[in-house]
Amino acid sequence: MNEGSAAGADRLLDLLHGVRLTPTQRRIAHCLVRHSGAVAYLSAAEVAELAGVSQPSVTRFAMALGHDGYPALRRRLRELTTTPAADRADTGNALQRAVRTEMDNLDRLAGQLADADRIAGVGRLLAASRPLPVLGLRAAAPLAAYFAYFAAKIHPDVRVLDHGGSMLADRVDQAVAAGASALLAFVLPRYPRETLDALREARDAGLTVVAITDSPVSPATEHAEVVLPAAVGTDLVFDLHTAPMTLAMVVLQAICDAAPAETQTRLEAFESSAARRQLFLG
C-alpha cells in the first residue's frame, strides 16, 4: 500500500466509523480497506468475488452506509481514494517506498495512541490475568513469541499458544481453569481459520479477548472485546509487521505501568539472576 492508497484507506475507515455492520458486511469493509486503491473501480460482482460474499450482500452493505446502491457507493469511494497528482508522486525505488509506507503506518499508530487511557486499561486487563495466554498462529507466531519473551520477565505466568490443531482448544481451557481472565491475540493476514475458532472458544469460555490486528474491520473484530489495529505493510512479497510489533511493545509497556512495583521487583530479580549466571556479555 503506497502513501496515496494508505491515505485513501484512512478515509475509508472514517466512512465506516460508527456504522454497525454484520459479520458479512465487515468482511466487505475489510476488503475495501485492504484494496483501497482498486475497489473504487470494480463492479459489485467483482467486489463480491474479492470479498468472498454474494453480490446482494455488497448492495446491502452500500445501503447500510446510507447509499441507494453500490454505484452510489462506488462514486463515493472514488472521491475518497483519489489523490491529486502532486500528492501521488512516488520517489525512490520500490524498497524505499515500502519502508516509507511503514513510516506512514507507524505515524497512524502514533495518532491512535493519543487515547492513552484506553491503552492503560488494556494493560490493567492483561496484567490482572493469571495466567496470561498469548495467541499467535502462522505468520503471527513470531510476534506472539517476541511479546511473550519480554512479558515473562514481568508477569508470573505467560503462556504462548502458537500451534494449532486439536490441542489449541485444550490449552485455552487449561488457561481458563488455571484462572486466566483475558487473552491477547495477534491476528494478521491471512487470518488462519484456527485463530478465529480459538478466539470464539476463548470468548465462550469467559475470557476477555484483546486482539492486535491489521485493521478495525478485520475478521478478529467479530470475536474480540478490544481491537487494537496496526496496519500491515503489503508492498513486498511478504507482509511487513513493523506497526503490529511496535503496538505489541506498547501494550507490554502498559502492562508494566499497571503494576510498577511488581514490575520493578521482577526485573531486578531477573537482572540479578542473569548476572549470577553470566548470561550476557554486556
Side-chain angles (χ1 to χ4, degrees):
M1 185 182 294
N2 61 33
E3 294 180 13
S5 60
D10 284 345
R11 290 191 287 270
L12 276 173
L13 288 173
D14 289 339
L15 177 67
L16 298 167
H17 182 70
V19 180
R20 191 173 186 85
L21 302 175
T22 67
T24 296
Q25 290 168 346
R26 282 197 293 270
R27 181 184 296 182
I28 298 169
H30 180 67
C31 174
L32 297 183
V33 173
R34 184 81 170 158
H35 303 279
S36 59
V39 291
Y41 300 92
L42 300 179
S43 67
E46 289 169 326
V47 170
E49 182 177 359
L50 194 62
V53 301
S54 68
Q55 187 170 336
S57 294
V58 175
T59 300
R60 288 192 291 270
F61 171 78
M63 296 176 69
L65 296 183
H67 301 278
D68 58 8
Y70 180 74
L73 174 59
R74 183 167 59 181
R75 287 193 295 271
R76 180 60 176 149
L77 292 176
R78 288 180 181 177
E79 294 173 2
L80 292 172
T81 58
T82 298
T83 304
D87 296 334
R88 192 169 56 233
D90 290 327
T91 59
N93 60 43
L95 301 180
Q96 291 174 308
R97 291 194 295 272
V99 172
R100 291 190 181 107
T101 296
E102 289 304 282
M103 294 167 65
D104 291 338
N105 289 339
L106 288 173
D107 188 54
R108 287 197 294 278
L109 176 59
Q112 294 166 199
L113 295 175
D115 187 358
D117 289 342
R118 183 167 187 255
I119 293 296
V122 170
R124 291 190 295 270
L125 174 69
L126 297 178
S129 182
R130 309 291 176 95
L132 173 60
V134 180
L135 172 66
L137 302 182
R138 294 187 180 269
L143 274 75
Y146 186 81
F147 174 90
Y149 172 80
F150 291 105
K153 299 184 187 309
I154 53 94
H155 190 287
D157 191 355
V158 180
R159 303 187 182 187
V160 182
L161 312 179
D162 56 1
H163 289 86
S166 60
M167 290 187 64
L168 179 57
D170 293 343
R171 297 187 67 190
V172 171
D173 288 341
Q174 289 164 5
V176 172
S181 56
L183 176 143
L184 175 63
F186 292 88
V187 189
L188 302 176
R190 302 166 56 193
Y191 317 112
R193 187 182 303 277
E194 285 181 305
T195 297
L196 300 178
D197 290 343
L199 295 188
R200 185 183 304 108
E201 291 165 356
R203 286 196 64 177
D204 290 345
L207 294 178
T208 299
V209 175
V210 177
I212 291 180
T213 188
D214 65 311
S215 164
V217 291
S218 92
T221 60
E222 297 179 30
H223 311 292
E225 284 86 355
V226 180
V227 176
L228 302 176
V232 166
T234 59
D235 287 349
L236 302 180
V237 173
F238 298 107
D239 287 348
L240 294 168
H241 295 159
T242 310
M245 178 71 79
T246 301
L247 182 53
M249 293 297 100
V250 168
V251 169
L252 183 56
Q253 179 65 43
I255 294 175
C256 293
D257 293 342
E262 181 180 0
T263 294
Q264 185 65 27
T265 298
R266 290 185 177 278
L267 287 177
E268 289 176 355
F270 172 77
E271 290 300 332
S272 176
S273 174
R276 186 178 66 255
R277 292 179 289 157
Q278 298 182 335
L279 292 182
F280 307 112
L281 297 179

